[in-house]
């Protein structure tokens, strides 16, 4: 029998006008009950999905097209690969936001509507003025703020490099989380063919196949699960796996993404891709040598790594800044394009 996931730690005493830095640096997920309960969009959503859509439409004067992900009723809201994993079980199309909202409202009473998901849509670009009425103070961080809208959908477990503060503003969501160390037990799919940019778990959480994915039972021993109502928020630390289920006919979530590193730092996924290309298929003894090299220069680097080199000659081993990274990137591109 699979283990029962544990609940996520909760806080109900956080002032949305002054989010503590210690909280935003947390290495563990934290539920923040009622954090955005006073937002006007939440109050509208508590009246009805129609009121929530009318409120959102106020901030769409240009009627800009958004990218809507649409799947047939047969997928049960699970956006995923097709049967042979040569593609996906959904399509994407550009539609005006108000058309997407109207379609969601028309499908509210259907038992098995098409799955519709408007993912990661920039508030600044598509709903200008929304944050003036619905926002959080994240101090000196400059987060990317986005909105996610849809009906009963299921998003496969994945991880993101930035820290994430996810605020449910309409409907309900169930989120299942796993520590980053559960990578091997989640059976992650391709790195370069992904449903939405991030590699995802191939396990169907609604009906896990423990014969095909036996180690998923071990992952569940470390799982944490929470259900969020409108007004609740969840802090998802960097690289925590999260599987998201929207539980109502109309759901909306606003999230803030930020990194605890300078903006000029590249994503580690690029380094992983390069390592696959250059290191993975070396003979075993050579891989062992390069593991030691990476430990020395990357994973265990300290002041002693380069202090025997004059400061003016340390190059890439010196502390990096935006200019140094630009030079490194140009050098790398030149090498790759030889």
């Amino acid at each position: 029998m699979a283990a029962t996931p544990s609940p996520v730690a909760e806080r109900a005493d956080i002032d949305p006008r002054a989010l503590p830095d210690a909280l935003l640096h947390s290495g563990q997920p934290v539920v923040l009950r009622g954090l955005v309960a006073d937002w006007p969009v939440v109050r509208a959503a508590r009246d009805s999905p129609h009121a929530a859509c009318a409120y959102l439409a106020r901030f769409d004067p240009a009627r800009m097209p958004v990218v809507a992900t649409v799947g047939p009723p047969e997928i049960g809201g699970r956006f995923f690969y097709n049967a042979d994993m040569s593609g996906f079980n959904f399509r994407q199309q550009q539609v005006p936001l108000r058309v997407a909202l109207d379609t969601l409202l028309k499908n509210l009473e259907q038992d098995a509507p098409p799955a519709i998901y408007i993912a990661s849509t920039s508030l600044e670009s598509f709903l200008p003025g929304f944050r003036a009425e619905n926002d959080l103070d994240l101090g000196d961080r400059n987060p990317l703020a986005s909105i996610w809208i849809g009906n009963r959908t299921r998003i496969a477990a994945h991880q993101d490099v930035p820290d994430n503060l996810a605020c449910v503003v309409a409907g309900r969501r169930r989120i299942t989380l796993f520590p980053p160390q559960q990578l091997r037990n989640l059976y992650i799919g391709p790195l370069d063919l992904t449903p939405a940019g991030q590699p995802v778990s191939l396990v169907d959480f609604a009906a896990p196949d423990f014969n095909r994915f036996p180690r998923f039972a071990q992952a569940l021993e470390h799982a944490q699960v929470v259900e969020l109502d409108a007004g609740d928020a969840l802090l998802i630390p960097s690289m925590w796996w999260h599987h998201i289920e929207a539980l109502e006919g109309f759901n909306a979530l606003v999230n803030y993404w930020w990194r605890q590193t300078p903006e000029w730092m590249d994503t580690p996924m690029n380094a992983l891709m390069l390592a696959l290309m250059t290191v993975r298929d070396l003979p075993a003894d050579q891989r062992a040598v390069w593991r030691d090299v990476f430990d020395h220069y990357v994973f265990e680097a300290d002041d002693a790594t380069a202090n025997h080199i004059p400061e003016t000659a340390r190059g890439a081993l010196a502390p990096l800044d935006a200019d140094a990274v630009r030079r490194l990137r140009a050098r790398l591109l030149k090498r790759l394009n030889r």
Side-chain angles (χ1 to χ4, degrees):
M1 181 179 295
T4 301
S6 302
V8 182
E10 297 196 10
R11 296 279 301 273
D13 59 341
I14 300 299
D15 184 346
R17 298 164 298 180
L19 296 174
D21 272 349
L23 170 70
L24 297 177
H25 279 95
S26 174
Q28 295 288 323
V30 184
V31 177
L32 305 172
R33 292 291 182 194
L35 184 72
V36 298
D38 291 334
W39 280 8
V41 65
V42 174
R43 294 199 297 267
R46 285 176 174 164
D47 287 341
S48 69
H50 290 79
C53 290
Y55 181 83
L56 291 172
R58 284 179 41 204
F59 302 98
D60 181 34
R63 301 181 180 235
M64 290 180 61
V66 296
V67 177
T69 301
V70 181
E74 293 76 30
I75 71 172
R78 185 190 185 210
F79 293 115
F80 197 61
Y81 294 94
N82 58 16
D84 64 0
M85 292 186 63
S86 61
F88 306 106
N89 64 359
F90 56 83
R91 69 182 190 279
Q92 291 185 319
Q93 59 191 72
Q94 287 196 331
V95 296
L97 176 61
R98 296 190 189 198
V99 171
L101 295 175
D102 287 345
T103 303
L104 285 166
L105 293 176
K106 289 177 183 177
N107 291 338
L108 277 176
E109 304 305 321
Q110 291 191 32
D111 292 333
I116 301 174
Y117 194 45
I118 303 159
S120 192
T121 300
S122 166
L123 288 174
E124 181 178 351
S125 299
F126 290 88
L127 295 175
F130 178 91
R131 288 184 68 182
E133 298 183 10
N134 310 267
D135 204 11
L136 293 172
D137 183 359
L138 299 183
D140 58 1
R141 295 165 182 82
N142 182 28
L144 172 64
S146 303
I147 192 165
W148 312 66
I149 305 169
N151 50 13
R152 291 182 177 86
T153 57
R154 293 189 285 147
I155 307 304
H158 62 283
Q159 55 184 184
D160 300 305
V161 172
D163 291 298
N164 184 0
L165 184 58
C167 308
V168 174
V169 298
R172 293 183 301 122
R173 301 209 181 212
R174 179 185 298 116
I175 302 180
T176 305
L177 301 122
F178 302 86
Q181 295 78 12
Q182 290 306 304
L183 168 66
R184 289 175 178 80
N185 295 331
L186 288 172
Y187 297 91
I188 304 306
L191 302 183
D192 45 1
L193 178 67
T194 66
Q198 302 295 334
V200 303
S201 171
L202 299 185
V203 180
D204 183 352
F205 280 34
D209 183 345
F210 291 105
N211 291 320
R212 183 182 176 193
F213 306 118
R215 292 194 309 276
F216 184 62
Q218 298 176 42
L220 288 176
E221 295 176 3
H222 301 271
Q224 300 180 34
V225 66
V226 63
E227 288 195 12
L228 303 174
D229 293 317
D232 295 336
L234 173 65
L235 177 71
I236 306 174
S238 171
M239 299 301 283
W240 271 70
W241 298 96
H242 47 288
H243 175 278
I244 302 178
E245 301 170 77
L247 303 176
E248 303 287 349
F250 178 79
N251 306 270
L253 179 147
V254 168
N255 88 302
Y256 300 85
W257 270 323
W258 70 92
R259 293 182 65 178
Q260 298 181 30
T261 52
E263 292 184 3
W264 44 259
M265 282 189 65
D266 211 329
T267 172
M269 181 58 74
N270 288 343
L272 175 61
M273 292 294 194
L274 285 171
L276 290 174
M277 182 174 71
T278 60
V279 178
R280 183 193 62 185
D281 295 332
L282 291 172
D285 58 337
Q286 294 184 27
R287 285 202 311 274
V289 170
W290 279 101
R291 180 183 292 113
D292 186 58
V293 171
F294 273 73
D295 283 344
H296 180 71
Y297 286 109
V298 180
F299 299 110
E300 298 175 4
D302 56 22
D303 291 342
T305 303
N307 64 6
H308 57 285
I309 305 172
E311 288 189 17
T312 55
R314 290 178 185 174
L317 298 180
L320 295 174
D321 57 20
D323 290 336
V325 166
R326 276 194 290 270
R327 291 192 296 270
L328 271 177
R329 185 178 289 113
R331 184 177 182 182
L332 180 59
L333 287 172
K334 184 177 180 180
R335 290 189 171 194
L336 288 172
N337 291 326
R338 286 189 305 198

